[in-house]
Amino acid sequence: MSKFRNKEKGELPAISTASLPDIVFMLLFFFMVATVMRDSSLMIENQLPSADQVEKLKKDRTIFIYAGKPSSQYKQFGVEPRIQFNDAFITVEDVQSSVYQGISEMNEELQSKVVVGLKIDKNTNAGLVSDIKQELRKANALKVMYIANTKTEKL
């Protein structure tokens, strides 16, 4: 007689699911912290010019204005360079009111420190940029920065 009996059925024990909610909430928390939300979707082609001296500023006090040709999804708007603010195309005349709207949506302590960031496609003509700057002067948004890539092209 042997002390050990052979099991006739080799059934596996049930899997414990006690730690499953902990794992799910840990993954949920990780993705909530690690995910970056996009402010607005780009409706134009935007190849930024390159620069060798670039300074990074905080985005909490920045309003972005984009300019460039409409992307392939928005070809119904033509091929001429357009101005985009948030998720809408605007005209040069609407720049002033859009800047006022963007400033009013900010915290009160940041409203006096607002900086307008211009993300202008490198193939956009200077006349449109000049018109945008004139409208920014009318809106008293005098702190303007040009957004550029840090890569320098070697010829």
Side-chain angles (χ1 to χ4, degrees):
M1 300 261 268
S2 70
K3 289 185 171 180
F4 303 105
R5 283 182 30 195
N6 290 338
K7 293 183 180 179
E8 294 179 14
K9 295 182 180 178
E11 292 182 15
L12 293 175
I15 297 174
S16 173
T17 59
S19 64
L20 189 62
D22 294 336
I23 295 170
V24 169
F25 283 119
M26 191 171 25
L27 285 172
L28 179 67
F29 183 72
F30 171 76
F31 286 116
M32 285 174 53
V33 171
T35 302
V36 177
M37 301 302 268
R38 178 177 269 171
D39 290 336
S40 60
S41 58
L42 206 56
M43 299 167 60
I44 60 169
E45 294 176 4
N46 199 354
Q47 295 177 350
L48 297 175
S50 58
D52 57 355
Q53 296 180 0
V54 179
E55 181 181 342
K56 190 163 189 149
L57 295 176
K58 293 182 180 179
K59 290 186 178 181
D60 59 348
R61 62 184 183 121
T62 308
I63 298 172
F64 292 103
I65 296 177
Y66 305 91
K69 293 180 182 177
S71 63
S72 60
Q73 293 176 316
Y74 300 98
K75 286 297 181 186
Q76 69 266 22
F77 293 105
V79 293
E80 291 297 316
R82 304 285 308 254
I83 303 170
Q84 178 186 345
F85 184 79
N86 289 339
D87 284 332
F89 285 126
I90 60 172
T91 62
V92 175
E93 294 80 20
D94 296 333
V95 169
Q96 186 176 358
S97 61
S98 298
V99 168
Y100 286 144
Q101 175 195 356
I103 292 173
S104 67
E105 293 173 358
M106 296 180 117
N107 294 336
E108 287 187 28
E109 62 269 1
L110 296 176
Q111 287 180 356
S112 62
K113 301 175 184 177
V114 69
V115 177
V116 178
L118 297 177
K119 290 189 174 186
I120 309 292
D121 184 52
K122 65 181 178 181
N123 297 323
T124 303
N125 57 5
L128 181 63
V129 178
S130 177
D131 293 342
I132 293 171
K133 286 173 43 181
Q134 290 296 330
E135 290 297 317
L136 291 174
R137 287 183 189 137
K138 292 178 187 175
N140 201 23
L142 303 177
K143 296 177 186 174
V144 178
M145 67 177 172
Y146 295 95
I147 312 296
N149 286 333
T150 57
K151 300 176 185 175
T152 56
E153 297 177 11
K154 295 183 179 180
L155 299 175

